[in-house]
Structure formats: C-alpha cells, structure tokens
Amino acid sequence: MNPKLSAVKGMNDILPPDSARWEWFESTVRELMRAYGYRNMRTPIVEPTALFVRGIGEVTDIVEKEMYSFTDALNGEQLTLRPENTAAIVRAVVEHNLLYDGGKRLWYSGPMFRHERPQRGRYRQFHQVGAEALGFAGPDVDAELILMARRLWNMLGLHGLRLEINCLGQADERARHRARLIAYFEAHEEQLDADARRRLHSNPLRILDTKNPAMQELVQGAPRLLDELGEASRAHFDGLQQLLRAAGQEFTVNPRLVRGLDYYNLSVFEWVSDQLGAQGTVCAGGRYDTLIEQIGGKPAPACGWALGVERVLELLAQTQPASAAAQLDAYVVLAHAPALPRALQVAEQLRAAGLRVQMHAGGGGMKSQMKKADASAARFALIFGEQEWLSESVGVKDLRSGGEQQQRAVPLQPAGLLLDCLART
Ligand code: ATP
Ligand code: MG
C-alpha cells in the first residue's frame, strides 16, 4: 500500500455532520447581508505580495511572519495567499472604480491563510466573513456595522458576546501618543519581552496588544491614546457611543484595544466571548480612512469588520450539538432489483416537489437496507419490494413515529397520492 497523505498542519477538512452547521451559518450570513443591503464581492485568493505589505503595514505580525508568500515559478511574480481580505476588496474597488457614484456596502466570505502556531481557534487556513462600508465617514455606518454583527449573533442564537470599542484617533494624535508611549516603555525597559523590545521604536502601539501575561500590568499603566484625542476625533467617538446607546447596545470602552493591522483610525471594536479560551475575539473591525488612498485610489473613508468563522462555529457547537436530524425526508429501499428504474423515477418526482430523498446504494438485503434507512435519520423509508412491484405501489414506513413502525402500501397512481401521504404525516 502507498503511504497515507494528510492535510497541511493547521489546515482543516470540514466534514459532515459539522459541514451542515457551516452551511446553515453561511445561509444565515447571506440573509443578514441582504437585510442591510450589503452586496457580495469575490476576489482572488492569491494577490501580489506588495498589496499586503502596503495595505497591512510592514511592522505587523501578519507581514513580518505570517504570510504564505512565494515566487511564481513561471514568471517570477511575488505572490501571497491572502491573510485577510480588506486590502484585496479595496484593491478591487479602486481597480474597477466602484466608488465613482458614491459609497458602497460590500461583503465577502472565504478562506484566509496565516502561518501561525496552530491551536484552538487559531489555524493556518481559516475562514472569515467580512463587511465593508466604503465612502462613508461615519459614525452612522460604524454603528450600523456593529449592530449588523449583533443581529447576526441573534439570528444564530448566540448570547453572551461582549462589545468593546475604542478610538484610535488620527495620525497626528497617534504620533503624540506614540512619543509618550515610547518614553513610558523606555522607562520600564527591563519589563519588556523580546517582542516588545523589537517593536519599541517600530510599532509601540502594538505592544499594547501583547498576549504575554507577564506584561499585562505594565500595559495597563501605559499612557492612553484616548487622552490625546482632539475635538473632531472625540466627537466621532461620542457620536458612535450615542448611537449604540440609542440602539440599546451595551459596550465597554477599552483604551488598550488596538488592531493587529496598521490601517485603522478612529473607531475600532471587537466582539469577545469568554467561552473560547485564549482566542476569544470573534469579530474585529474599525475604520480605515487612509487605506483606499494608500492602495492608489482617490481618498475616501471606510469602515468594516471581519469575523472568524471557526470561532463562531465553535460557539455554535457549544449550543447546538451536531445532528443529522431532519436532513432527509425519505430513504429509498430497493428490495426487488427490477424496480430500480421505477424507484429512481419516483425519487425524482419527490425531489421535483422539494423533498430531500436519498437512494440506497451498494446493494444488500431488505434488513440491512432498513438499518441504513434508520441510520440516515430520514423521516420515511420508501420500500420498493416484489409485492409493491406487482401491485404498482410503494411501501411507506414512518421511521420517526416511535413505537411499532407500520408499513402502508401507497399506490403510485395517481402521482400526487404519495406526495400527499408524505406531507400529511
Ligand atoms: P488575533 O489577535 O486573535 O491574532 P487578529 O487581530 O490577527 O486576531 P484580525 O486580523 O482582526 O485578527 O481577524 C479578524 C478575526 O479573524 C479575528 O478576530 C478572529 O476571529 C479571526 N482570526 C484571525 N486569525 C485567525 C486564525 N489564525 N485562525 C482562526 N481565526 C482567526
Ligand atoms: Mg493575529
């Protein structure tokens, strides 16, 4: 036998029955996006490496050490598997001039790739759903985006997600804060870990995002960006808070909340769960008013979020156990070989009427086929045996009625009779 092959570390197969939850999640997301008038975008999984270097920022975890980048062997192009999708959405919006007639509300869904250490809630291929509102200065769309996420949690039946918000101000405010931050961390240099030392002069704001428990106290005492905000930034942040309060949405202002990506300004927010261990952030987003210009477009404001599908699905799995129930309406048992064409035809008629019908395959006697029918969790077994063949009927057995299962013979003509019979029970 040939040696077995396995999936790349940190990249998962999504198998039944779990895939049913994925499908349900995806259809719920589509419904959500329709309800808010967001339109779907699909961009390539591979982009020029320069897009992410420019869009995400050189001194970020992603660009420094998480990207799957490679040289196209055929033409020498530098390419990267997308680690996130906002930069690519902006690239496409600029490339196709989508903002020519005003702002756009867009969404996407799909796999992202980051070379991280795989652990619970952290994978090398993972999935994001994202919503982006481009061309609007907010804070109305900032609030809309946050409330959209809230509606999604409600549609999914998820409770207990907390909202944290912060304001990152504008470049000049961050520059002032940055100077104070560097001075503070320099004064406590002996408490910095290796990562923080490396970032001290390149990206000190990111030190606030450290996951190192030993550094939490130091970070708690650091100068706050909120204290550096000017009037306009403050008004934007106050506006967002008022809209959230008016919508009955609770939140906490977390002055340490920064984003892993460089392009954010003003509003940032995260939806956090306590049920996921260390990887508790389910959805993260904010405003990125300078990114469109950075990618080569005419300056335009923008705001958006991305949620980690695996983390949302882990929460869902905690509330709804996997179940094959109600996946099938009928399982067709073929106990008399000549009846096969007739059974196929009946199955097609039922499917045309919207029923979910699975044909038995792989042969076997009546008894073993009935076992398969039971295990399929179908509502009915439809039995095509010799008796039924001769009397031009089908045996219908309700598999979920409990108690002794009675089999009825239902004539195949007129054609609607079987359908009525399945619908009535
Ligand atoms: P973290 O701080 O957890 O590394 P991040 O700041 O890198 O997150 P974003 O780039 O903002 O995350 O991505 C948005 C969301 O995508 C995250 O909140 C999370 O739910 C999800 N996510 C990010 N990286 C991964 C990953 N490697 N595996 C699974 N989900 C992820
Ligand atoms: Mg990360």
Side-chain angles (χ1 to χ4, degrees), residues 264-335:
Y264 287 103
N265 68 315
L266 291 174
S267 317
V268 285
F269 51 86
E270 285 190 358
W271 288 93
V272 187
S273 164
D274 297 325
Q275 254 102 62
L276 291 174
Q279 267 62 247
T281 302
V282 164
C283 173
R287 182 157 281 286
Y288 49 95
D289 293 336
T290 54
L291 183 64
I292 296 178
E293 186 178 14
Q294 206 152 312
I295 305 283
K298 273 219 309 261
C303 190
W305 52 248
L307 66 77
V309 178
E310 281 80 359
R311 296 187 192 175
V312 173
L313 285 172
E314 191 182 334
L315 287 177
L316 278 176
Q318 291 173 9
T319 54
Q320 337 171 320
S323 144
Q327 295 255 43
L328 280 180
D329 295 305
Y331 188 98
V332 175
V333 170
L334 190 77

Side-chain angles (χ1 to χ4, degrees), residues 62 114 116 121-123 126 128 209 211 259-261 279 281-284 306-308 310-311:
I62 293 181
R114 298 184 194 178
E116 306 195 62
R122 196 176 286 291
Y123 309 101
F126 62 101
Q128 288 185 334
D209 198 24
K211 299 193 168 67
R259 303 287 325 120
L261 316 179
Q279 267 62 247
T281 302
V282 164
C283 173
L307 66 77
E310 281 80 359
R311 296 187 192 175

Side-chain angles (χ1 to χ4, degrees), residues 89-158:
I89 293 286
V90 169
R91 193 236 351 110
V93 162
V94 170
E95 187 169 337
H96 303 287
N97 196 22
L98 294 190
L99 297 183
Y100 80 99
D101 63 346
K104 291 283 173 298
R105 289 170 161 95
L106 305 168
W107 73 279
Y108 62 82
S109 163
M112 308 294 157
F113 303 84
R114 298 184 194 178
H115 199 279
E116 306 195 62
R117 189 168 68 78
Q119 53 196 292
R120 180 183 180 196
R122 196 176 286 291
Y123 309 101
R124 291 182 174 173
Q125 175 174 331
F126 62 101
H127 296 75
Q128 288 185 334
V129 166
E132 317 281 2
L134 299 103
F136 307 104
D140 51 349
V141 292
D142 310 42
E144 170 180 287
L145 282 157
I146 289 173
L147 297 175
M148 241 170 109
R150 171 176 75 174
R151 180 168 301 281
L152 180 60
W153 315 141
N154 287 337
M155 290 165 90
L156 295 172
L158 292 178

Side-chain angles (χ1 to χ4, degrees), residues 387-388 391 393-396 406-412 417 421:
Q387 271 311 112
E388 290 80 12
S391 61
S393 65
V394 55
V396 176
Q406 290 298 326
Q407 184 176 326
R408 286 166 297 157
V410 179
L412 289 171
L417 210 60
C421 169

